Amino acid sequence: MNSINALGKAYRSSNAHYLQLYWLKFSSSAAVATTTDSNIKIPNRIPRGPTDILKALEKTVNYDLTGPSYKFFDDPNLAPYHDRQGRLYSLAKNAGKKAARWVRNEHPELFTQVISEPPVMSYMPSTPITAETASEDLLFQTICDGKVSDAIKIYELMQEKNVDVAQDLQLSLLELLCFYNCEDPIPMDNEAERYYGQKFKKDQNINSWKDHPLVKTLFESLKPLGSAPYSALICGLYENGAKPEGDKLVEEAKQNNITLDVNAYNSIITRSITVYEKHDVKRDTLLDVLKEMDLKGVKPNLGTLNATMDVISRLGFRDKYNFTIQLMAEFNRQGVKPSLGTYAYVIRGLVGRNKPDPNLIIFVSSILKTLKGQTLEAKDASDLLFFEWVMKACAQCDNLSCAIECLELFMHSKNRMLLNGFKTNNFYNNFFQVLTVKADFETLVKYYKLLCPHAHTASPELYSTLFEACDLNCAIREVPELWKHYLGTGSLNEETLLKMFDVAKNVSALPDPAALEIRPVLGELSESFLTYKINAESQRVFEKVPLTTEMCNSLLVLLARGPHWSGVQTCLKHMSGKSMWPEKEALTQVLESCFANDNPSMAVAVIKYCHSNYGPKLELQSVASKFLKTDFLDQKLKDEIKEVFDDDSSSSSDGSSESDSSGSDSDDDSSESEDISVPKKTKPAVPKPDITKVTMK
């Protein structure tokens, strides 16, 4: 007991000693701090959002080019590996979302719990629209959400109840109807439809304006407000091709001394390109509109600049480059800075229809140097045209350095988000067009491995160029990988397939150790391709590129060099069933491979099978005579070959009647002695018709 008390006192004394030392250290450091810096500076609070940490983590992760996009990883087994599969995957996933949205809208009573915090209102069922629920607050919320049909229904219910609606709210409803042309827009969560659906810009020469009676009612009631209702309706009319109605409304506004806003003038500028006059008249019309804006004190914005550049890019006149630069300088003096869309329109105008402007590549090079290493943001809808037209200009001028700079800018940070699905494909096609013309083989393969097959699905023409480049540069090890990638694209071309087979035959025949290594790989790929095609034909699946005689002869060579004897047997059987004639060079390659791989039984089987199915026209006797002079065959196999050709010579020396009968007997004998595991089809006996019965009928 005393020992325990002694230990307790020692423990407490040691703790007190450590506390005393800690306090002395703390007090001394505090004293030093107070003496050295008496003014404590508290940093300003940095406002943080709930997703700032996620954004900071996102900057540390680069775009992965070694696999499919992250949006396809809901089910790795269905991950697409070319554009067509990606499109089907995205649209199928979007169809599931649309089905879920339909259930939410049709059965809102099923959604009674709010499981998100904070609640996401776009995922919740909308408020049912009835005469009791229709109010200004609900109308305002519906307009903010962009629900056109619901807004029209709420407004009509309020009019039936004689409920007054504020003018500001009526003006917002008019702007909504004019902006969306009285139709519900594609929901924002329909990402796939927006990504793959908007291929072409709306043609402003086609009148697609929905003349809804509510638009006229709202406009007549809001006319006293002046500029706002006129500008909203003019924008809607011009954007949807209703030029006569828009021109009439502009004249009415001029007669009433109503100054339109800048958005209306932007639509008027865009409309000037649709006037069917000479290019000089269109340019003068554009300048007149800009002068009118200056006289009325309407300050231009970025939309005005881009609309002006859009019109100029479509016109053809001399000294367009200097005229464009002067206009951009004038807008700059007005405080309007160009965006990516401005540069895109200038480049489109310099590319031209027949030949590019001499100043094109100078302008493109200066823009790329200015934007190098920057994270770009879209400020206008036309900014999505920037990368497409820059790379197209590089392809027109065959400028490799500018094309590589454009690609590096495109891959930097999130700049790749400034292109949609179809334009991204055009962007990469133009890039590889420059590479195939100007780059060396190492550069071409480098960027191919970087971008294909996940970021971009190469075209059959590009694969044909790649195979030809591999043949010229003796790139033996690249051929099997290109083979796999090309067959994985799903867009096969007969010309490209034949080029691929020819290059595979050429590189596998080279006297190089690498050629010997890839022969089994090419043989395996050939057998899998042959099996796939035969199975597709047996199941009556439509094949755009069926197997041809030239393809089968090339496959026969590659299978023999493998060697893949089962594939050789399958190929010969298929050719016999489709009445395809094998080339002598292909059969010679098969027999030489049998000799090189010490397979005499296979050589004899191939000779007997081909002789029995195709006859002496293949002229295999010279090849067989070479085997008879060597020790490659034993005496039994030599006797079998001699028997085949002796029977053929004896049958040819007999008469015509005897040769027919002996020929049928020899066919029966050969079918029984075949050793290639391919059953020969026996001809059914056809009974001779009775002449008397035929004449009576």
Side-chain angles (χ1 to χ4, degrees):
M1 188 67 180
N2 293 331
S3 62
I4 295 176
N5 292 332
L7 288 172
K9 290 179 181 179
Y11 177 75
R12 286 191 296 272
S13 64
S14 62
N15 283 345
H17 177 68
Y18 283 119
L19 288 173
Q20 185 178 7
L21 291 176
Y22 179 77
W23 171 253
L24 289 174
K25 181 180 179 181
F26 176 76
S27 60
S28 62
S29 62
V32 172
T34 54
T35 56
T36 57
D37 189 8
S38 58
N39 298 326
I40 300 175
K41 295 181 180 180
I42 301 175
N44 296 329
R45 181 181 179 275
I46 301 175
R48 303 289 186 187
T51 59
D52 286 351
I53 296 178
L54 296 177
K55 291 179 180 179
L57 292 174
E58 183 190 14
K59 294 180 180 179
T60 63
V61 181
N62 295 326
Y63 182 56
D64 184 19
L65 294 170
T66 61
S69 178
Y70 180 75
K71 63 184 177 181
F72 299 126
F73 272 91
D74 285 348
D75 190 347
N77 294 324
L78 299 177
Y81 286 92
H82 56 81
D83 291 342
R84 194 179 304 171
Q85 288 181 353
R87 183 175 184 273
L88 292 176
Y89 183 101
S90 301
L91 294 177
K93 185 177 179 180
N94 187 72
K97 291 183 178 180
K98 292 174 69 174
R101 195 181 303 113
W102 181 86
V103 174
R104 181 198 64 186
N105 295 334
E106 294 295 325
H107 302 280
E109 70 278 0
L110 301 177
F111 301 88
T112 58
Q113 296 181 355
V114 180
I115 59 176
S116 59
E117 183 62 37
V120 182
M121 300 308 298
S122 59
Y123 292 160
M124 300 300 296
S126 57
T127 305
I129 300 174
T130 60
E132 291 76 16
T133 59
S135 61
E136 286 192 351
D137 294 337
L138 184 59
L139 179 60
F140 177 76
Q141 185 62 41
T142 307
I143 293 174
C144 293
D145 295 339
K147 300 178 180 179
V148 178
S149 58
D150 291 348
I152 294 174
K153 185 176 180 180
I154 293 171
Y155 184 81
E156 292 176 349
L157 290 174
M158 294 177 68
Q159 292 297 308
E160 291 178 0
K161 295 191 302 180
N162 296 324
V163 178
D164 293 334
V165 182
Q167 283 190 340
D168 294 342
L169 197 56
Q170 291 183 19
L171 180 59
S172 300
L173 179 59
L174 177 63
E175 292 174 348
L176 178 73
L177 298 179
C178 294
F179 186 81
Y180 288 115
N181 196 14
C182 305
E183 295 178 340
D184 285 321
I186 298 176
M188 293 301 295
D189 52 352
N190 286 6
E191 181 182 358
E193 291 186 6
R194 290 180 175 272
Y195 191 78
Y196 291 104
Q198 297 179 357
K199 290 200 237 182
F200 308 105
K201 189 177 179 181
K202 185 186 294 185
D203 190 358
Q204 295 183 349
N205 295 325
I206 300 176
N207 189 351
S208 59
W209 172 251
K210 309 291 183 183
D211 195 8
H212 199 282
L214 182 57
V215 175
K216 294 182 179 180
T217 304
L218 290 172
F219 178 72
E220 293 296 332
S221 63
L222 294 174
K223 269 188 177 182
L225 294 180
S227 174
Y230 276 93
S231 300
L233 188 54
I234 287 172
C235 290
L237 291 171
Y238 281 150
E239 288 297 326
N240 294 280
K243 296 185 293 296
E245 295 84 350
D247 294 339
K248 182 179 179 182
L249 202 60
V250 170
E251 292 298 327
E252 182 181 341
K254 290 181 180 180
Q255 294 175 3
N256 297 331
N257 294 324
I258 296 175
T259 302
L260 303 176
D261 63 8
V262 64
N263 295 322
Y265 278 107
N266 295 345
S267 299
I268 295 172
I269 292 173
T270 305
R271 182 203 63 87
S272 63
I273 193 61
T274 61
V275 180
Y276 297 101
E277 298 289 346
K278 295 182 179 180
H279 289 181
D280 294 338
V281 177
K282 293 180 180 180
R283 184 182 60 182
D284 295 340
T285 303
L286 170 64
L287 295 177
D288 291 341
V289 175
L290 293 176
K291 291 177 181 178
E292 181 181 344
M293 292 178 63
D294 189 25
L295 291 175
K296 293 189 176 182
V298 180
K299 188 176 180 180
N301 58 7
L302 181 59
T304 311
L305 174 59
N306 288 337
T308 304
M309 293 297 114
D310 182 17
V311 173
I312 294 175
S313 67
R314 299 172 186 269
L315 302 180
F317 55 90
R318 293 182 179 180
D319 205 14
K320 181 190 291 188
Y321 178 73
N322 292 330
F323 181 76
T324 304
I325 296 300
Q326 292 175 4
L327 268 180
M328 291 178 64
E330 183 63 31
F331 274 97
N332 193 16
R333 283 192 288 269
Q334 296 288 334
V336 181
K337 302 295 181 182
S339 67
L340 299 176
T342 310
Y343 300 139
Y345 286 136
V346 175
I347 293 171
R348 185 177 71 179
L350 297 178
V351 167
R353 295 183 179 179
N354 299 325
K355 61 179 181 179
D357 191 278
N359 299 304
L360 172 61
I361 200 62
I362 300 174
F363 182 79
V364 170
S365 178
S366 62
I367 294 301
L368 291 175
K369 289 180 180 178
T370 304
L371 300 176
K372 185 176 181 180
Q374 296 184 17
T375 301
L376 307 179
E377 294 182 358
K379 301 177 182 178
D380 189 77
S382 60
D383 293 352
L384 302 179
L385 302 173
F386 174 73
F387 283 108
E388 179 189 9
W389 278 102
V390 170
M391 190 57 75
K392 188 171 184 178
C394 296
Q396 287 283 339
C397 300
D398 291 334
N399 193 293
L400 180 60
S401 59
C402 288
I404 293 177
E405 289 180 6
C406 181
L407 178 70
E408 291 175 351
L409 180 63
F410 177 73
M411 301 302 296
H412 178 71
S413 186
K414 293 185 178 180
N415 295 343
R416 61 187 178 278
M417 303 298 293
L418 297 178
L419 275 179
N420 63 14
F422 290 97
K423 293 178 181 178
T424 304
N425 198 27
N426 296 334
F427 174 84
Y428 286 123
N429 285 335
N430 288 326
F431 175 70
F432 280 107
Q433 178 183 342
V434 180
L435 289 182
T436 54
V437 175
K438 291 294 183 179
D440 54 5
F441 179 72
E442 288 75 13
T443 306
L444 177 60
V445 173
K446 170 188 172 183
Y447 284 103
Y448 171 80
K449 291 184 177 180
L450 176 67
L451 300 173
C452 300
H454 299 296
H456 173 60
T457 301
S459 62
E461 292 76 13
L462 175 59
Y463 277 108
S464 180
T465 304
L466 287 169
F467 285 123
E468 187 174 358
C470 290
D471 192 11
L472 294 175
N473 294 272
C474 298
I476 301 173
R477 301 185 186 277
E478 305 294 340
V479 175
E481 184 179 5
L482 292 175
W483 181 310
K484 295 177 185 177
H485 290 175
Y486 176 57
L487 295 184
T489 59
S491 56
L492 301 183
N493 187 345
E494 182 177 355
E495 182 179 356
T496 308
L497 282 174
L498 293 175
K499 172 68 72 175
M500 180 179 70
F501 293 147
D502 290 340
V503 172
K505 290 191 298 182
N506 294 339
V507 298
S508 62
L510 294 174
D512 190 281
L516 298 178
E517 292 179 6
I518 69 165
R519 285 182 181 180
V521 180
L522 293 176
E524 184 178 355
L525 292 173
S526 301
E527 186 173 9
S528 62
F529 176 77
L530 178 66
T531 305
Y532 169 76
K533 286 292 186 180
I534 292 176
N535 291 337
E537 291 183 6
S538 63
Q539 297 173 4
R540 297 183 179 180
V541 178
F542 174 74
E543 285 291 328
K544 184 178 179 181
V545 183
L547 282 173
T548 61
T549 304
E550 191 172 358
M551 290 183 189
C552 290
N553 283 313
S554 299
L555 290 172
L556 201 59
V557 173
L558 295 172
L559 290 168
R561 287 177 182 171
H564 283 265
W565 305 122
S566 59
V568 172
Q569 296 173 6
T570 306
C571 188
L572 288 174
K573 176 183 176 182
H574 178 76
M575 296 180 73
S576 176
K578 296 294 181 178
S579 300
M580 297 179 181
W581 196 265
E583 295 179 354
K584 183 180 178 181
E585 292 77 11
L587 293 177
T588 304
Q589 180 64 51
V590 173
L591 296 176
E592 289 179 356
S593 180
C594 293
F595 183 79
N597 292 276
D598 195 16
N599 193 347
S601 58
M602 188 67 191
V604 175
V606 169
I607 292 174
K608 293 172 64 177
Y609 179 79
C610 293
H611 188 272
S612 62
N613 284 273
Y614 300 102
K617 293 184 180 181
L618 285 178
E619 299 179 357
L620 294 177
Q621 191 170 1
S622 59
V623 181
S625 61
K626 295 180 181 179
F627 287 164
L628 294 175
K629 296 177 182 180
T630 62
D631 297 333
F632 175 60
L633 304 176
D634 57 13
Q635 189 61 36
K636 180 180 179 182
L637 296 177
K638 289 181 179 180
D639 293 340
E640 291 182 6
I641 292 180
K642 291 179 179 179
E643 182 180 356
V644 171
F645 291 104
D646 290 343
D647 292 343
D648 179 64
S649 60
S650 62
S651 61
S652 61
S653 62
D654 295 337
S656 59
S657 60
E658 295 179 357
S659 63
D660 292 337
S661 61
S662 63
S664 62
D665 295 337
S666 63
D667 288 342
D668 297 337
D669 296 338
S670 62
S671 62
E672 294 176 359
S673 61
E674 286 175 357
D675 194 24
I676 200 170
S677 70
V678 180
K680 182 176 177 61
K681 296 181 180 180
T682 57
K683 298 181 180 179
V686 180
K688 295 182 179 180
D690 191 354
I691 300 298
T692 57
K693 293 182 179 180
V694 173
T695 53
M696 290 175 64
K697 289 182 180 181

